[in-house]
Amino acid sequence: MSRRPALALTVVAWTGAAMAAEPTAGEAPFGLAWGPVDRVDAPSMVDREANLTGLYYFHDRPLASGPDTVEVVLVVCREQGLQQVVWVGRPLDGPAHVTAREAIRREGVRRYGEPRPGLASGSLVWLSGRAVLATRTLPDGTRGLVMSVSGPDYAACSESHRTATGHPAGAHMADLIGGMVP
């Protein structure tokens, strides 16, 4: 996958429709399962780099059709299958951003306990849920929430990606939010 910050590689919606069903241990967000992918809806775009295939769903596709969703990306690893779901929320100003971020934080605490600060400024990490919540600042000054949830074999996938490209799989998420991610 190319490392283009303008092209979102993105996160799981913790608000709206994406929160409707709470995943169990083997389930990924949106009713998907971690691991081999048998069938997914047709994406808006596909991007490949080394062992990663990014399936991008823009607002015109079912996975990204929620009112607060701009994009959803499924990261499929050659050997491990689906290992990351990224959701990108719509741009928000001041109080709306704070309210949405707090709602997602509370839901994360309910599911996984208290988060720890992430590597990117203002980001939160739930290690037990393999989830990251971050904010990206857009050129017009608005901010968008980005949420990423990773599968149980993401570390192995990322290491294979590092071997092939010189950077870990998480570098793509870092490009999106403008900071480092675990």
Side-chain angles (χ1 to χ4, degrees):
M1 281 180 259
S2 58
R3 295 183 66 195
R4 294 171 278 184
L7 187 58
L9 280 180
T10 342
V11 165
V12 177
W14 279 39
T15 59
M19 289 306 291
E22 186 167 331
T24 62
E27 289 183 1
F30 301 109
L32 300 170
W34 299 122
V37 177
D38 293 339
R39 183 184 136 350
V40 293
D41 291 327
S44 306
M45 184 180 100
V46 175
D47 194 12
R48 290 183 175 87
E49 182 181 76
N51 66 319
L52 301 181
T53 299
L55 304 175
Y56 294 77
Y57 295 85
F58 302 141
H59 191 70
D60 66 337
R61 298 286 195 230
L63 286 180
S65 62
D68 294 326
T69 302
V70 169
E71 180 176 9
V72 171
V73 179
L74 305 181
V75 179
V76 181
C77 305
R78 185 176 298 129
E79 297 296 320
Q80 296 83 8
L82 178 64
Q83 288 301 311
Q84 186 177 39
V85 178
V86 181
W87 171 85
V88 177
R90 67 182 172 89
L92 299 168
D93 284 324
H97 174 266
V98 171
T99 299
R101 185 179 187 283
E102 179 56 21
I104 293 171
R105 188 198 69 75
R106 279 193 315 269
E107 181 61 21
V109 168
R110 185 187 73 76
R111 288 185 186 197
Y112 309 121
E114 287 296 326
R116 68 172 179 83
L119 298 174
S121 177
S123 66
L124 300 174
V125 175
W126 288 270
L127 295 176
S128 66
R130 299 182 309 270
V132 176
L133 173 62
T135 298
R136 67 184 185 137
T137 302
L138 303 169
D140 67 358
T142 58
R143 295 176 292 170
L145 293 169
V146 177
M147 182 87 196
S148 173
V149 178
S150 300
D153 297 324
Y154 181 77
C157 173
S158 183
E159 188 53 38
S160 294
H161 193 68
R162 178 192 304 274
T163 299
T165 65
H167 61 267
H172 300 288
M173 178 73 175
D175 282 350
L176 176 65
I177 63 172
M180 297 174 56
V181 294

